[in-house]
Amino acid sequence: MSLVAKYIPLNRDVGLSSYQALAERVIDTPLGRVSLAANQFGLSHLSFLPGQDDDFAAREVTLVAREQQALEQAEAHLDQAEDELSAYFAGRLTAFSLALAPVGTAFQHKVWQALLAHPFGDAASYSDIASAIDNPKAVRAVGSANGANRIAIIIPCHRIIGKGGALTGYAYGLKIKQQLLALEAEAVGRSR
């Protein structure tokens, strides 16, 4: 079950032409600059932008031109994402309600839905997610789908840790992953 109001699983196997991002915005967060992109269906990308001391590369977003109405819908999704991320980083939001429109394979969507269903502030292992999608042997494939997630934070791939509790890789570095986990643990602590 998804913890967002609307999740539109756009299948990359049918072609991307009508699903690509239409609008992009860069915002500042307590953890650095973040790039947001959306199409008319919802938020399609959320990625950290590297600072001068970071060792990860920016994830590129290709924008396509569409009619004005679709562009306005995309901008509205960006506005909502910016508002909700501000509340998240302030510790006031534990469940996002904006529409998401990630592009991926059917398997990736299963994994991302399982990530969305995982409780806020609670870490899980790759094998936990594989079990949640009723495919316990797909641990490596879950890891691959986790790494392909283009909507960081909201589809919470940062909550996936090693089976023994160790922090494992994160596209934006372990420092950001650790900070996201700490931010969520603090929010959960305040709500108890």
Side-chain angles (χ1 to χ4, degrees):
M1 172 163 82
S2 174
L3 297 180
V4 294
K6 192 173 187 182
Y7 182 96
I8 301 165
L10 302 176
N11 189 337
R12 77 170 185 202
D13 297 330
V14 256
L16 302 176
S17 62
S18 61
Y19 304 146
Q20 288 181 302
L22 306 177
E24 183 178 27
R25 181 178 303 167
V26 174
I27 63 170
D28 291 317
T29 75
L31 302 186
R33 297 179 66 196
V34 169
S35 171
L36 306 171
N39 57 36
Q40 66 271 35
F41 304 111
L43 192 70
S44 59
H45 299 80
L46 188 162
S47 59
F48 284 93
L49 297 175
Q52 69 184 77
D53 294 333
D54 292 318
D55 60 356
F56 62 87
R59 289 188 169 185
E60 297 296 321
V61 175
T62 302
L63 299 180
V64 295
R66 286 282 185 269
E67 65 276 357
Q68 187 61 30
Q69 181 181 2
L71 182 58
E72 289 171 4
Q73 291 169 324
E75 289 288 348
H77 293 303
L78 293 178
D79 291 341
Q80 185 177 359
E82 187 173 356
D83 290 345
E84 290 190 16
L85 284 166
S86 177
Y88 169 85
F89 281 111
R92 297 187 316 270
L93 183 119
T94 60
F96 292 92
S97 64
L98 70 153
L100 299 181
V103 176
T105 65
F107 181 81
Q108 288 171 333
H109 286 295
K110 283 178 99 172
V111 170
W112 299 337
Q113 287 283 342
L115 291 172
L116 286 165
H118 197 75
F120 179 88
D122 186 29
S125 69
Y126 294 109
S127 61
D128 293 335
I129 301 301
S131 294
I133 62 168
D134 296 324
N135 196 344
K137 293 183 179 181
V139 175
R140 290 175 86 91
V142 165
S144 180
N146 201 50
N149 174 25
R150 300 282 288 183
I151 306 177
I153 301 172
I154 298 171
I155 298 178
C157 56
H158 62 276
R159 293 186 194 145
I160 305 305
I161 60 173
K163 191 167 183 135
L167 285 186
T168 56
Y170 186 55
Y172 308 107
L174 292 181
K175 180 181 174 187
I176 290 177
K177 181 174 187 161
Q178 190 171 30
Q179 290 172 318
L180 289 168
L181 292 171
L183 183 143
E184 292 183 4
E186 186 178 323
V188 167
R190 280 196 304 264
S191 68
R192 288 185 179 161

